[in-house]
Amino acid sequence: MTTMQSVTAHPAWRALQAHYEDVRDQHLRALFAQDPKRGERLALEAVGIYLDYSKNRITDETIRLLVELAGQAGLRERIDAMFRGERINVTEQRAVLHVALRAPRGASILLDGENVVPRVHEVLDRMAEFADRIRSGAWLGHTGRRIRNVVNIGIGGSDLGPVMAYEALRHYSARDMTFRFVSNVDGTDFAEAVQDLDAAETLFVVASKTFTTLETMTNAHTARDWCVERLGGDEHAVARHFVAVSTNAQAVAKFGIDTANMFGFWDWVGGRYSMDSAIGLATMLAIGPENFRAMLAGFHAMDEHFREAPFERNLPVLMGLLTVWYANFFRAPTVAVLPYEQYLKRFPAYLQQLTMESNGKSVRLDGGPVGCDTGPVYWGEPGTNGQHSFYQLIHQGTHLVPCDFIAFGQPLNPIGPHHDLLLANVFAQGEALAFGKTPAELRAEGTAEWLVPHRTFEGNRPSNTLLLERLTPAALGKLVALYEHSVFTQGALWQINCFDQWGVELGKVLASRIVPELAGGGAELGHDSSTNALIRRYRRLRGR
Ligand code: F6P
């Protein structure tokens, strides 16, 4: 691996540093006053998403310099390398081709000279056929009853995508079926998920790229015991009540699932980029193949936009560059994602894995130190709930928290005044954060002098507003792809590998060492004094 330059060494970085000294003292109130058309000018509409980025602490020069930085950091080359199927995940020697998962039939994306798109559609077709059989009642359980419950067992990317998409697209889901998602190794997760389900009508989807993940395998074994025991102790029941989604056919067969009931994907799909692969089987079972394909078309539309649009008119690139601007120049350590859409309630949790497992890195691709802050902490909750909880800190706290507001013009449940009230709130929050309320305004209203500092909103708190027409499967695909490529843009600038996750390994190894120690007895504990004391105390609590 050739040594690369830290992003901080690029001329545009130094120019941005100087520029930041100028911008940080400018207030959004002044920026809007100087340019009455700012709110329309600093907005971008593409593939059905309207992004208003005018309430950011930027000028035209900021965007110009950030785009220049993207050029100097080789963003274009990185995008092309990904789409060309190069092994850009260098530490695992893998290509990164989630974009192939949503390429239309007939497209060509080559990996080592082979077009992978036909393989993608072959699996999609099998998934669709299976989903139709389950949804129509043609597939029967071991005792001849139709399947009414689907339990997805997976964790990380094999859970967060499916559960987020199910919740997001619940409006389009089969209402005569029940969907549950079990991820945690805490037995409560499984116990609560199945406590009111009839095994004779339940299908388990065991979703695991590796089919070795401790949590998923533990839950899958528990599910198998639960199912077989309730269906008369007959192991043959497994064939009618378990399907697998994995890249590891051998492990699937070893578990006892017929590989005819397995839906595959490939090592070039990262776990957190897999909700549109076979990992989306539970999603497809819920919303049906046609809606699933519409979601894929949404992803693809954003992929094409990302690949083709010039950086200054490119939604994911702009959002990624703004994230870098705040993370590195304002040193803002977090980003809040605030969907004003109840169906997107798991979207922030989904984004946490996508953004933080991808960009929570300290070394560059060549192993050298990054030299600046990388991936910010993503967090959030749907509005308006968050307003009555943590927004206080965003408005008046000491931390700068850039916000992404997400809203839809058309409600899926048009009931009375609800949607106008919802949208009035999202617009009001962006306005309040940007413009605040000055001491002069408070005094003019007759606020007592001693209360003025408490009631002042300094404003100048940045936000993006994403406005879409309606939450459809295609819109969800576009939104997810938007954040995927924003993450890619950030990672390209920092020269990090967005596609490995070595940081989760150490804890896994240590846990497997501790498991037998919890049983008690045996050899001396060899950990630090804190860990030893906790293990001993736990043993006592369990009477061991
Ligand atoms: O431990 C992290 C991780 O590897 C994630 O990257 C992944 O999404 C998750 O575990 C689940 O992995 P698998 O799908 O192989 O069970």
Side-chain angles (χ1 to χ4, degrees), residues 73 124 138 157 258 301 346 389 430 520 522:
L124 276 174
D258 186 347
R346 294 301 302 270
S389 153

Side-chain angles (χ1 to χ4, degrees), residues 154-158 207-213 216 265 270-272 279 353 357 501 504-505 508:
I155 197 163
S158 303
S208 175
K209 180 176 169 182
T210 55
F211 231 72
T212 57
T213 305
T216 302
F265 61 115
R272 53 194 174 275
I279 288 291
Q353 187 197 12
E357 207 174 60
Q501 55 285 318
V504 299
E505 293 306 319
K508 288 186 194 174

Side-chain angles (χ1 to χ4, degrees), residues 410-424:
Q410 301 287 349
L412 291 173
N413 296 295
I415 306 170
H418 287 260
H419 203 64
D420 282 353
L421 294 175
L422 182 70
L423 274 278

